[in-house]
Amino acid sequence: MPVHYDITHTTVYRYAQPVRFGEHRVMFRPRDSHDLRVLATDLQVTPEATVRMIQDPYSNSIALVQPQSEASELRFVCTFRIEHAHTQNLELPLAPSAEQFPFSYTVDEYLDLEHYLRPLHDDPDGKLMQWARQFIRTDGPTGTREMLVQMNQHIRDHFSYAAREEEGTQSPLKTLELGSGSCRDFALLMMEAARRLGIATRFVSGYLYDQALDDAKADNGGGVVGAGSTHAWLQAYLPGAGWVPFDPTNNLLGGTQLIRVGVARDPRQAPPISGSWVGPPNAYLGMEVTVQVSRVDLNLNPAS
C-alpha cells in the first residue's frame, strides 16, 4: 500500500542589511521513479525572483533562482506531496554472477558506472581499505549484499552522529579518526569503502520520515537520526537489483522512510541550495533550515 507524504522544506538566509543576490541553485524536487511519484510541487521565494527549471547531468530537477531585488532576508519555501510505494533492497534478487564477492561488472555496466567506481579521496596508508576489508568473510564465501548490510550496520553501531552546521563533507579518513560524523560523512565513508572493494556507489540527498516528529503521541524509541532537516545516504549498484539504498546513519535498507531528491557522484554536487550574495563581509548573520515531513491520508485530506 503506497504511503503519501506532505513535505515542507524552508531555508532562510539573514543579513544585517540589504544585500544583492546572485543566482541560486535549488535542488528540492524528489526524483520520480517506480517507487516514488511526485503529485504536486511548489517553490516560493522572497524577495520576488525569476525561476528556471532544468535537469543536471544526473537528471536531477534543479531550480535556478535569481532574486530581483536587494533584501536583508532570502527565504525559500519548497512544498510537495509525494506517493511512496516502498523502495526495495533485501527483497531484490541479485544476478547469479554478483551474489558472492568479489564479482565483476559486464563491459557495458563498467562503461556506464566508471565514475561511480572511482574513489574520490586518497588513502595513502591503506587505512580505509583495511577498514573496508574487515567485512569480507574469512571462514567461507562472502555474500555481496550481506557484506554491504554489515558495513551499513557497523557504521550505525560504532560511530557517533554529530550534526554540523558548516557546509561540506569531511573525508572518510577524518570520519574514521574521529569515530563520528554527520549523515553526509557516513554516506561518503561507506561509498568510498565500497568503491575500493570494486562496488559502484553514488550519493543520495533527500528527506527522512520520522513518525516521532509527525505524531507527538508516537513512541518508537526516540525516532531516527536526521529527520527534521535534509538527509543523506547512498545507493550501491548490484547487478540484477540495480541501485539499492543503504542509510548507515540509521541502518535503513529501503522502505518508505527515505525520500530521494538528488543523486550524484560526489556530495559536493548535491547541495540542497547554493548561491552567492554581494555586500559587506560582516553582513551575513546566518542560515536556518527546517524540514517537515507529514504522512497524509488522501481519503481524509484529498489533494487540491
Side-chain angles (χ1 to χ4, degrees):
M1 174 70 81
V3 177
H4 296 87
Y5 296 117
D6 278 343
I7 304 171
T8 301
H9 176 188
T10 303
T11 303
V12 182
Y13 297 92
R14 293 187 173 88
Y15 304 85
Q17 64 186 72
V19 298
R20 290 187 292 117
F21 301 104
E23 185 176 78
H24 281 63
R25 179 183 184 273
V26 183
M27 181 185 292
F28 76 102
R29 191 184 193 278
R31 287 177 65 94
D32 289 276
S33 186
H34 59 275
D35 60 342
L36 193 156
R37 188 160 65 102
V38 180
L39 304 179
T41 67
D42 187 44
L43 172 62
Q44 298 292 329
V45 182
T46 307
E48 185 176 350
T50 60
V51 179
R52 293 183 292 125
M53 295 298 301
I54 67 167
Q55 285 188 316
D56 70 5
Y58 301 100
S59 296
N60 300 311
S61 291
I62 305 295
L64 299 180
V65 178
Q66 178 59 65
Q68 296 299 293
S69 62
E70 295 185 358
S72 57
E73 179 179 285
L74 178 60
R75 179 182 297 265
F76 300 86
V77 182
C78 310
T79 60
F80 41 90
R81 174 168 288 182
I82 66 165
E83 179 182 86
H84 204 321
H86 182 86
T87 303
Q88 296 184 324
N89 182 330
L90 301 179
E91 308 93 331
L92 296 170
L94 304 189
S97 61
E99 289 179 351
Q100 293 185 4
F101 177 85
F103 69 92
S104 297
Y105 293 108
T106 67
V107 173
D108 284 341
E109 287 173 334
Y110 185 85
L111 289 173
D112 293 333
L113 298 170
E114 182 180 2
H115 293 304
Y116 300 111
L117 284 161
R118 188 181 305 161
L120 301 172
H121 294 263
D122 293 334
D123 184 27
D125 300 321
K127 292 181 180 179
L128 181 56
M129 176 61 88
Q130 182 181 3
W131 183 86
R133 290 185 63 84
Q134 71 178 299
F135 302 101
I136 302 175
R137 295 184 58 174
T138 59
D139 59 349
T142 298
T144 301
R145 179 162 36 208
E146 289 71 21
M147 178 180 67
L148 294 173
V149 168
Q150 291 175 11
M151 187 182 297
N152 196 68
Q153 181 173 350
H154 181 91
I155 295 173
R156 173 63 180 87
D157 292 345
H158 294 85
F159 289 75
S160 300
Y161 178 78
R164 294 198 320 276
E165 294 185 0
E166 62 268 23
E167 297 180 359
T169 308
Q170 67 190 21
S171 72
L173 291 179
K174 188 68 172 179
T175 302
L176 288 179
E177 175 188 348
L178 297 176
S180 65
S182 68
C183 57
R184 297 172 71 90
D185 302 328
F186 294 157
L188 181 60
L189 170 63
M190 185 166 170
M191 284 171 57
E192 289 287 286
R195 286 174 177 176
R196 278 181 161 72
L197 297 177
I199 299 175
T201 59
R202 66 183 184 183
F203 181 81
V204 186
S205 66
Y207 307 110
L208 179 64
Y209 173 70
D210 183 0
Q211 188 175 344
L213 295 179
D214 190 21
D215 183 356
K217 296 180 181 179
D219 181 9
N220 63 352
V224 292
V225 176
S229 61
T230 55
H231 192 51
W233 59 98
L234 69 138
Q235 293 175 328
Y237 191 84
L238 304 179
W243 290 109
V244 295
F246 295 88
D247 176 11
T249 302
N250 296 290
N251 192 29
L252 293 176
L253 303 167
T256 58
Q257 288 180 270
L258 298 172
I259 303 167
R260 290 186 311 277
V261 171
V263 300
R265 174 175 50 87
D266 182 82
R268 293 173 298 178
Q269 299 170 309
I273 299 179
S274 61
S276 61
W277 59 277
V278 179
N282 60 351
Y284 180 66
L285 298 178
M287 174 184 68
E288 179 182 344
V289 179
T290 59
V291 175
Q292 296 177 323
V293 183
S294 301
R295 184 168 175 166
V296 296
D297 186 341
L298 295 186
N299 294 322
L300 301 176
N301 185 23
S304 56

